[in-house]
């Protein structure tokens, strides 16, 4: 989705390093077959999000930071000091809603 909007607006895609908390979680929990969403992780770690306005960028960053702390605690407990994306471990993700796959006005259909 970010790449599509960058392309639509003539902007370069981000190239900075990123950490994916959902991929990191999946790496240490291959037994979980559910879609790993932020809501799933909130329930899994029993985080209290009362009063937090979800889907607000700043508020969601705070929630993700709390999730990340829990993931790091588990890495420490497992004595893991690295994360490697492993092709054998697949993370289930949401299907991208069709609204993000449609042809933009005056543009080409994005890569699927």
């Amino acid at each position: 989705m970010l790449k599509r909007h960058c392309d639509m607006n003539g902007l370069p895609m981000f190239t900075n390093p990123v950490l994916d908390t959902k991929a990191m979680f999946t790496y240490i929990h291959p037994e979980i077959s559910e879609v790993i969403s932020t809501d799933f992780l909130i329930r899994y770690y029993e985080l209290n999000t009362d009063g937090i306005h979800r889907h607000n960028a700043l508020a969601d960053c705070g929630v993700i930071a709390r999730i990340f702390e829990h993931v790091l605690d588990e890495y420490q407990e497992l004595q893991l000091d690295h994360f490697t994306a492993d092709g054998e471990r697949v993370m289930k993700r949401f299907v991208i809603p069709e609204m993000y796959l449609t042809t933009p006005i005056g543009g080409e259909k994005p890569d699927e």
Side-chain angles (χ1 to χ4, degrees), residues 58-79:
L58 185 56
D60 278 350
C61 284
V63 171
I64 298 299
R66 290 170 56 199
I67 291 168
F68 185 60
E69 288 175 337
H70 283 276
V71 170
L72 288 180
D73 287 344
E74 287 192 75
Y75 270 68
Q76 189 171 24
E77 289 171 14
L78 295 168
Q79 298 181 346

Side-chain angles (χ1 to χ4, degrees), residues 20-35:
D20 186 333
T21 53
K22 295 171 186 176
M24 292 177 71
F25 177 86
T26 301
Y27 183 78
I28 57 176
H29 292 285
E31 75 283 1
I32 295 177
S33 61
E34 293 181 52
V35 171

